[in-house]
Structure formats: structure tokens, C-alpha cells
Amino acid sequence: MDSQLFGACPLNKQIDLYFDFSSPYSYLAVARVDKLAAAHEIKVRLIPVVLGAIFNRLGWQSSPFLAQPRKLAYMWQDVKRQAKKYSLEFEQPTQFPIGSILPARIATAFSDAPWLHDFCVQVFKAYFARNKDISNPETIEKILKQMDLDPQEILPRASSQETKDRLKLITEQADDLQIFGAPTFIVHDQLFWGDDRLEDAIEFCLRGEH
Amino acid sequence: MDSQLFGACPLNKQIDLYFDFSSPYSYLAVARVDKLAAAHEIKVRLIPVVLGAIFNRLGWQSSPFLAQPRKLAYMWQDVKRQAKKYSLEFEQPTQFPIGSILPARIATAFSDAPWLHDFCVQVFKAYFARNKDISNPETIEKILKQMDLDPQEILPRASSQETKDRLKLITEQADDLQIFGAPTFIVHDQLFWGDDRLEDAIEFCLRGEH
């Protein structure tokens, strides 16, 4: 279990993708990564973090985008254009940011599940394409049911103390890794920030150097 | 003259590249843009602004990178990787940011000169590849001489009141255009921020829509 927590093995073709369900560029990266990585036989670990906790440690109240209306307005315009470029559905949600702890705990508790990537994409799309309130347990339950998963089995494990502690620990480790935003890709000892660095992260993973 | 100041003609294949000589990602964009744009017969206007003045209007003391050491450390790592990817020389300067008003005034006064792009690249390389103090007039004089240009002719026009006023006006217009960082590409009515959006800006310029 611990080997999952501490860095990627430098000999493996593996990318650790740190994300928060409330982060629009994380949506783009998580939705794109599987196809790109699979084409190169790269393993991807999707690692949810509580980005707000990292922001707080850095002395920020919230997302740096929120601190400046002009930058925030541009961000939405940019995400919309990027989503179109990648043929991903997108609609600006009315509430931003949003509480993302419940889906983050599910992704933490079920980090090995074969349905993890699909679940993450479904949650992202609920929020960033269908304006659903992903902080509402009913939204998450509905997603699980639509995926033929059993909320009665999944939700209790997601809200267990073990899962809570684990998500907290992973967030602290992300902070130790000098992460300051999402998505962040960690490949070997290199940190790549932002959806636009996904291709660079893959290239680095393949070559083992940059 | 005024047509140069106010936005791009929507029917032309033209990109307005707003930059500051003190901005590392502006270096990457200005060094890359000519070849990419020429391949598509796109006209590029290099438009220097006083980015610090825009930051101040937004309530920032300086570059947002400087406000957070972790983000600043990543930025240098990222610029180094990107420069290598683009086969551009790069060495982290010891002083950052740096006063960039003198070369900005030259680029303002000689916005139509055939040597403008080359001059801009030389100034960027002096700062971001050879650790030269581009706030020092001697550095700029040396660059001009190496380009077989006459500093005695160029520097007085660069420091004229007309040029000062013009740079101030262009910076105010950039602010009106909602620019918040550099490089920024303006194509028709769309704003693209960051060197990583150069290809998108070109694509948008060619298609006329996004």
C-alpha cells in the first residue's frame, strides 16, 4: 500500500497525475491522459489531493484565479477553447470552486479499482459539462449507479477514517513534492504543472530525461 | 500611425504579440513566432508593454511568480525545459525581474524597422541566455552595434517624449484589452495568454474562429 504513496519508481514508465475535481484544467488532463498514455504503454496513477489545503499552506485563500477577476474570466475562455480543441464537452459551471472532498475520497479509497478513471471523468463531466453539484452526495450516488456500481458499498468505505487519513497524507506528500496547482504530473524526479505540459510529461517519461 | 495602435484588422492574418523584455515566456514566444508565422504568411506585430504597470493596476506588486517561491522555482525549471525543447539558448539570469524600459522604448520607436524582430531576440538572449544586464544602456548599445545599427541615431529617438508617451499609451491599451501577463497574443477579438498558446493563436488566426 505504501509503495503507492511514495513517488514513482524511476525505472517504470509511469506518470503520477495529481488533481482536484474542482480544477478545470485537471478535467482536461484526466480526460485526455488515458488515451495518450496507453498509446505509449505508460501507467498513469490518478492521485486526488485537497488542493485548497495546499493553497492555504502557500498563503492563498483559494485558487489564484479567483484573486483576479480578469484572470478568472480569461481562464474560462481558455478552458472552453481547449475543451473544444480536445473534443471534450464543456460548460462553465455556475458555482466555482466547489467542494470536491467526497469524490476525492472515493478516488482515494478505490485507487486500484478498474473503474477509477471512468469514475473520475464522469465526476469531472458532471461538474464541468453538465453544471451538476458534485459536492452533493446525491450527484455522486447517481454517477456510481450509472456506472453499475453500488453506492452502499462504496460510500461507507470512502468516508471511513482510514480513507480520510489517507487523503490527508497524500495531500501532505503532494505539498512536500512542491506541488502548487493542478493538474501536476510527476515523472521520475520532474514536476510538470498544467494540462499543457501533459505531452511534455509523456515525452520525458519515454526518454527518461529532458 | 494610429492604425498600429488599435487592434488587428479582422480580415488580416495578423497576430499582435504583447510582451515585456523581462518576461521569460515572452523570450520563448518572440524567439519562436517568426518562423511559425512566416510558414503561414501571418503578419506579427511585436508590441512591447510595461508589464509592471499593468501588474500594479491589477493590485500586484510585481510578477505573480515572485509572490510564491515555490512557483518561481518551478517557473525557471519549466522555462529551461521549454527552451531546450525549442532549441533555444537559456541560462537563468541572476537578477529577476529586470528593468526593461530602454529596449521597450527602442522597440516602440522603431516598431516598423526591418531589424525589430532580430533586435528583440538579441535583447532577450542577452538577458535570458547570457545573463547580461539589459537595464544597462551599455548592454543595449553593444547589441545595436553588433547588429550594425547606430546607437547615436537610435537612442535619442528611443528616449524622446513622443516615444515615452507612446509606450505609456500602448501599455494602457493593453490594459484595456484585459491583458494580465506576457506574452499575450491578440488575434481578432480573442486573447491568448502564454507561450504555450502560440500554436493555438496561429490556428485561430488561420481559421478565423475557434
Side-chain angles (χ1 to χ4, degrees):
Chain A
M1 205 69 162
D2 272 354
S3 68
Q4 281 224 324
L5 290 175
F6 298 94
C9 170
L11 299 175
N12 287 345
K13 288 205 293 181
Q14 179 171 300
I15 293 178
D16 285 352
L17 193 170
Y18 290 80
F19 71 97
D20 187 304
F21 284 109
S22 191
S23 146
Y25 292 104
S26 292
Y27 163 40
L28 303 181
V30 170
R32 297 199 308 124
V33 72
D34 249 33
K35 209 173 165 184
L36 285 172
H40 299 289
E41 295 178 342
I42 292 170
K43 187 187 168 191
V44 176
R45 293 198 303 187
L46 297 178
I47 305 175
V49 292
V50 184
L51 198 57
I54 294 176
F55 287 160
N56 288 344
R57 283 180 182 221
L58 292 172
W60 299 333
Q61 293 288 324
S62 180
S63 162
F65 282 119
L66 288 173
Q68 183 44 251
R70 184 182 291 190
K71 212 168 174 173
L72 181 66
Y74 170 78
M75 186 270 278
W76 288 123
Q77 191 188 355
D78 184 61
V79 171
K80 192 178 170 183
R81 282 193 306 232
Q82 296 298 107
K84 194 175 171 189
K85 185 169 80 175
Y86 300 139
S87 301
L88 292 172
E89 304 163 64
F90 174 75
E91 188 191 319
Q92 184 181 330
T94 44
Q95 193 190 336
F96 177 79
I98 203 163
S100 56
I101 197 86
L102 177 57
R105 283 178 181 158
I106 293 175
T108 303
F110 295 89
S111 59
D112 291 330
W115 48 263
L116 175 71
H117 181 262
D118 189 26
F119 170 75
C120 292
V121 172
Q122 294 306 320
V123 173
F124 273 122
K125 288 200 172 173
Y127 180 41
F128 287 114
R130 279 163 226 133
N131 199 23
K132 301 291 180 194
D133 178 2
I134 59 164
S135 71
N136 186 337
E138 285 177 25
T139 306
I140 303 302
E141 267 191 53
K142 203 175 271 182
I143 289 170
L144 292 170
K145 281 180 187 166
Q146 281 168 351
M147 291 175 65
D148 284 327
L149 298 168
D150 182 5
Q152 305 312 318
E153 184 202 337
I154 287 165
L155 294 178
R157 210 173 122 191
S159 56
S160 70
Q161 194 56 46
E162 189 194 337
T163 300
K164 289 176 184 175
D165 292 345
R166 190 174 160 84
L167 179 56
K168 206 179 157 195
L169 179 63
I170 291 171
T171 299
E172 280 165 11
Q173 288 175 338
D175 185 53
D176 290 343
L177 287 168
Q178 304 299 301
I179 285 174
F180 56 86
T184 292
F185 314 102
I186 304 269
V187 188
H188 307 173
D189 63 339
Q190 295 278 305
L191 186 155
F192 297 83
W193 171 52
D195 171 66
D196 10 46
R197 292 294 179 271
L198 174 54
E199 283 78 1
D200 288 337
I202 286 175
E203 180 67 19
F204 179 73
C205 186
L206 293 175
R207 289 191 296 122
E209 56 159 0
H210 216 287
Chain B
M1 205 69 161
D2 272 354
S3 69
Q4 281 223 324
L5 290 174
F6 298 95
C9 170
L11 299 175
N12 287 345
K13 289 205 292 180
Q14 179 172 299
I15 292 178
D16 285 352
L17 193 170
Y18 290 80
F19 71 97
D20 187 303
F21 284 109
S22 190
S23 146
Y25 292 104
S26 291
Y27 163 41
L28 303 182
V30 170
R32 298 198 308 124
V33 71
D34 248 33
K35 208 173 165 185
L36 285 172
H40 299 289
E41 295 178 341
I42 292 170
K43 187 187 168 191
V44 177
R45 293 198 303 186
L46 297 179
I47 305 175
V49 292
V50 184
L51 198 56
I54 293 176
F55 287 160
N56 288 344
R57 283 181 183 220
L58 292 172
W60 299 333
Q61 293 287 324
S62 179
S63 162
F65 282 119
L66 288 172
Q68 183 43 250
R70 185 181 291 190
K71 212 167 173 173
L72 181 66
Y74 170 78
M75 186 269 278
W76 288 123
Q77 190 188 355
D78 184 60
V79 171
K80 192 179 170 183
R81 282 193 306 232
Q82 296 298 108
K84 194 175 172 190
K85 184 168 80 176
Y86 300 138
S87 301
L88 292 171
E89 304 162 64
F90 173 75
E91 188 192 320
Q92 184 181 330
T94 44
Q95 193 190 336
F96 177 79
I98 204 163
S100 56
I101 197 87
L102 176 57
R105 283 178 181 159
I106 294 176
T108 302
F110 294 90
S111 59
D112 291 331
W115 48 263
L116 175 71
H117 181 262
D118 189 26
F119 170 75
C120 292
V121 172
Q122 294 306 321
V123 172
F124 273 122
K125 288 199 171 174
Y127 180 42
F128 287 114
R130 281 163 224 134
N131 199 23
K132 301 291 181 196
D133 178 3
I134 59 164
S135 70
N136 186 336
E138 285 177 24
T139 306
I140 303 301
E141 267 192 53
K142 202 177 271 182
I143 289 170
L144 292 171
K145 281 180 186 165
Q146 280 168 351
M147 291 175 65
D148 284 327
L149 298 168
D150 182 5
Q152 306 311 319
E153 184 202 337
I154 287 166
L155 294 179
R157 209 172 122 191
S159 56
S160 71
Q161 194 57 46
E162 189 194 337
T163 301
K164 288 176 183 175
D165 292 345
R166 189 174 162 83
L167 179 55
K168 206 178 158 197
L169 179 63
I170 291 171
T171 299
E172 280 165 11
Q173 288 175 338
D175 185 53
D176 289 343
L177 287 168
Q178 305 298 301
I179 285 174
F180 56 87
T184 292
F185 314 102
I186 305 268
V187 188
H188 308 173
D189 62 340
Q190 296 277 304
L191 185 155
F192 298 82
W193 172 52
D195 171 67
D196 12 46
R197 292 294 179 271
L198 173 54
E199 283 79 1
D200 288 336
I202 286 175
E203 180 68 18
F204 179 74
C205 187
L206 292 175
R207 289 191 296 121
E209 56 158 358
H210 216 286

